[in-house]
Amino acid sequence: MKVVLLGTGTSHGIPCIACDCDVCNSPDPHDKRLRCSAYVTSKNNDGTYSHILIDIGPEFRIQAITYKIKAVDAVLLTHSHADHLHGLDDIRIFSHTISSSHLTNPDRGKETEGPGIAIYSNAQSIRDVQERFSYVFRPTQIGGGKPKLRLEEDTVFDAGTPPEFGDLKIMPVPMKHGEIDTTGWLISVCGADGVIHSFAYLTDCSSIPESSIQKIIDNGGIIEHCVIDGLREVPHATHFSYLQAMQAAEKICPVHTWFTHICHLKKHADISAYIHEHLNSFENLSRIVRNGGSVEPAYDGLSFEIN
Ligand SMILES: [Zn+2]
Ligand SMILES: [Zn+2]
Ligand SMILES: [Zn+2]
């Protein structure tokens, strides 16, 4: 599978509106951060492709154009905060047929049948989608003017027959984001070596229950990449600080750890320096880095392949 990080910024994005700080004025392209999202594509053994979007923030249209997104089969929603959900209307272009040929199909304007795009999240977030996008679910208009969606609770992944996404195995990872419940996502493939290789996407969170850490360890095989909430240096009520993100990664032991949901209080290069100053306090992460792994701030457009 291939993963592209479409955005790595906190809810304000960087630069923040009306801010003149050094980070918001930084010329380093790593310091320009759209709101958090990731796009996963996978070529399956039968030759078909799976296209999965994690979160759909207010800049989805710009991200889809920048990264040439041509299909979305499903959205894995971490939670319903605006910075993760309010680009939802722009998914309509993909929603009436679920196929990568959709955009070039001359009949596409006529195609209003089909199941629509599945949105997976926890029960509260699904209710929030129904409430905020109530026009989508009213029978007032057909055609391409509004997205066609199928709301599914993330519990279906733990049920007897979880939905299939080609060769990808997907598991929800329950987390706490202050008082609210969010869902991290573990996406796995069986590699050519017969071993499970995984990508963990863990934002927004201020704590991850031990049972969820264990779920990742038990099911993830080799965690090649872990993208984890790392908001800022100082602790925050609803997000991991840099050190809290490293404490969680220390338990998960990913080959590559990437901070996301980053705010404008430190430049990209300074966050990297901070991580390396503190790395010695983390035995597992230090060993992983000595063996060719990494712990770094993510950046928009970062991509990696897991096979
Ligand atoms: Zn957020
Ligand atoms: Zn700023
Ligand atoms: Zn949030």
Side-chain angles (χ1 to χ4, degrees), residues 75 77 115 117-123 125-126 149-157 163 185:
V75 177
L77 184 65
I117 295 180
I119 313 286
Y120 295 96
S121 198
N122 63 31
S125 298
I126 292 291
L149 307 176
R150 206 173 74 242
L151 301 181
E152 308 272 3
E153 287 189 23
D154 56 12
T155 49
V156 300
F157 289 94
W185 295 97

Side-chain angles (χ1 to χ4, degrees), residues 79 81 83-84 177 204:
H79 64 307
H81 281 163
D83 51 324
H84 299 260
H177 180 27
D204 296 19

Side-chain angles (χ1 to χ4, degrees), residues 14-16 19-24 264:
I14 301 177
C16 300
C19 185
D20 273 328
C21 78
D22 283 353
V23 179
C24 289
H264 67 150

Side-chain angles (χ1 to χ4, degrees), residues 79-113:
H79 64 307
S80 62
H81 281 163
D83 51 324
H84 299 260
L85 176 62
H86 289 195
L88 189 66
D89 194 81
D90 284 327
I91 207 172
R92 60 191 167 160
I93 192 94
F94 302 121
S95 71
H96 291 103
T97 54
I98 297 183
S99 144
S100 54
S101 66
H102 170 47
L103 293 175
T104 52
N105 185 336
D107 288 331
R108 80 175 167 88
K110 300 172 197 158
E111 294 179 78
T112 55
E113 299 305 319

